[in-house]
C-alpha cells in the first residue's frame, strides 16, 4: 500500500426500510479536519484522472455503482516511490479510501451504471491547490484497459 494511504472498512446498517451507509466520523483515526463534502458522478467506462492535491487529504467512499480507483506515488522521498495501487470500490465492497496530499489519483467507472463517489475533503475546493494530468499521461505507468487475469 502507498505510504500514507488508509483503508477503513465501513458499516452499512440494513433494515426493512433501507440502509444507512457510514462514511467518516470525527473520532475515526482517518479524520483530520473538515473542508467540504462533494459527490462525483461517473458514467460507465469514463475515466476521471489524473489529479493530485498539494495540501488536501481526500476521503473517498462509493455509495452507488462501482469504480476502479488508482493511486500513483511519485513523491521522491516516499518509501513507496513509483508504486501504483488499484482499489475496486462499490457498496458491495464498501470502505473509506484516505489519500494523502501529493499522491496522484483517479478512477474509471466500471459496470453498467453511473457511480457516485463521495469525498469528505480536508480543505475547501481551491483550483490553485490541484495539479492535473491527462488520463493516459506517459509519466504515470498505468493502463486503464480492463485486465483479464
Amino acid at each position: 500500500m502507498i505510504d500514507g494511504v488508509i483503508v477503513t472498512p465501513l458499516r452499512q446498517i440494513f433494515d426493512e426500510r433501507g440502509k444507512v451507509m457510514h462514511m467518516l466520523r470525527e473520532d475515526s483515526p482517518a479524520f483530520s479536519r473538515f473542508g467540504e463534502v462533494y459527490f462525483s458522478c461517473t458514467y460507465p467506462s469514463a475515466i476521471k484522472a489524473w489529479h493530485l492535491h498539494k495540501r488536501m487529504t481526500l476521503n473517498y467512499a462509493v455509495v452507488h455503482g462501482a469504480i476502479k480507483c488508482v493511486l500513483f506515488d511519485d513523491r521522491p522521498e516516499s518509501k513507496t516511490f513509483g508504486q501504483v495501487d488499484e482499489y475496486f470500490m462499490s457498496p458491495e465492497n464498501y470502505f473509506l479510501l484516505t489519500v494523502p496530499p501529493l499522491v496522484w489519483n483517479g478512477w474509471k467507472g466500471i459496470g453498467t451504471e453511473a457511480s457516485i463517489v463521495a469525498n469528505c475533503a480536508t480543505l475547501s475546493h481551491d483550483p490553485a491547490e490541484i495539479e492535473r494530468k491527462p488520463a493516459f499521461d506517459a509519466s504515470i505507468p498505468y493502463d486503464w484497459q480492463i485486465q483479464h487475469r
Side-chain angles (χ1 to χ4, degrees):
M1 187 178 313
I2 289 175
D3 188 37
V5 172
I6 303 168
V7 174
T8 306
L10 295 175
R11 289 184 59 202
Q12 296 185 67
I13 303 167
F14 294 86
D15 69 20
E16 65 273 10
R17 300 166 299 164
K19 67 180 175 178
V20 171
M21 301 172 78
H22 285 213
M23 183 175 168
L24 186 60
R25 299 167 44 120
E26 68 177 334
D27 60 354
S28 167
F31 180 80
S32 63
R33 62 174 281 172
F34 174 77
E36 71 173 341
V37 171
Y38 67 84
F39 302 90
S40 181
C41 300
T42 307
Y43 295 124
S45 300
I47 299 169
K48 291 190 172 184
W50 293 98
H51 76 280
L52 69 69
H53 291 274
K54 298 172 189 172
R55 299 181 320 276
M56 181 188 296
T57 296
L58 309 168
N59 290 288
Y60 292 142
V62 175
V63 298
H64 184 80
I67 66 166
K68 174 174 61 172
C69 185
V70 183
L71 309 180
F72 173 62
D73 187 358
D74 76 343
R75 301 170 293 175
E77 74 289 348
S78 173
K79 62 185 172 188
T80 54
F81 175 75
Q83 185 168 321
V84 175
D85 290 343
E86 290 180 326
Y87 297 90
F88 293 88
M89 303 177 72
S90 70
E92 294 76 26
N93 190 31
Y94 193 54
F95 59 92
L96 184 73
L97 182 63
T98 302
V99 181
L102 302 175
V103 172
W104 289 99
N105 68 97
W107 62 78
K108 180 179 182 178
I110 57 176
T112 59
E113 59 187 355
S115 60
I116 301 174
V117 179
N119 181 18
C120 183
T122 58
L123 301 174
S124 297
H125 178 73
D126 175 2
E129 190 266 337
I130 302 168
E131 289 188 28
R132 298 184 186 276
K133 292 184 180 187
F136 297 95
D137 192 283
S139 69
I140 297 179
Y142 189 75
D143 180 355
W144 287 101
Q145 298 305 312
I146 191 168
Q147 302 295 314
H148 297 280
R149 296 181 174 128

